[in-house]
Amino acid sequence: MINGLKRAAALGAATVALAAGAVVGTVGTASAAPQDHPRPSAAPRDHRGPSAGPQDHRRPSAAPHRCVKVAGHWARQWHPAYRDRHHRWHPGQWTRVWVPAHKECHHR
């Protein structure tokens, strides 16, 4: 029994040492990796050429739109009929659900 305990303790210590060595080896390798990645410059590069003009990637607005704040309100929502897990049929019904305040934007 004593030999079994000694063997288990030795095996556990060897496993811990092996795992610690693997972690330290991985960290050392990662920090010693070459750093050849280019650093991003502060100004974005324009790959369209020198005569491309100002760089604006936003979509042009085809038509102006108006946004309106809508207050919270109750709305009716239809829940369709279904059959539950006990094979009982439940008919469809209307329920009232709260729609919180939000902003709606419409194109003119």
Side-chain angles (χ1 to χ4, degrees):
M1 168 126 173
I2 302 277
N3 288 337
L5 289 175
K6 287 181 182 177
R7 184 180 303 146
L11 184 60
T15 303
V16 169
L18 186 61
V23 169
V24 171
T26 303
V27 171
T29 305
S31 62
Q35 300 288 331
D36 60 347
H37 300 293
R39 297 181 63 95
S41 62
R45 294 183 183 170
D46 187 8
H47 298 287
R48 295 178 296 170
S51 62
Q55 195 173 14
D56 187 13
H57 295 290
R58 293 176 295 175
R59 275 185 9 183
S61 177
H65 59 276
R66 174 174 297 187
C67 296
V68 178
K69 289 184 180 178
V70 179
H73 61 279
W74 288 97
R76 291 177 10 142
Q77 183 178 9
W78 175 252
H79 293 273
Y82 69 98
R83 191 179 305 272
D84 66 10
R85 62 188 177 130
H86 301 291
H87 305 288
R88 184 167 170 231
W89 181 255
H90 297 274
Q93 62 184 357
W94 287 99
T95 58
R96 292 172 51 132
V97 294
W98 178 252
V99 180
H102 58 280
K103 185 166 61 169
E104 290 181 355
C105 296
H106 299 285
H107 292 281
R108 289 196 281 170

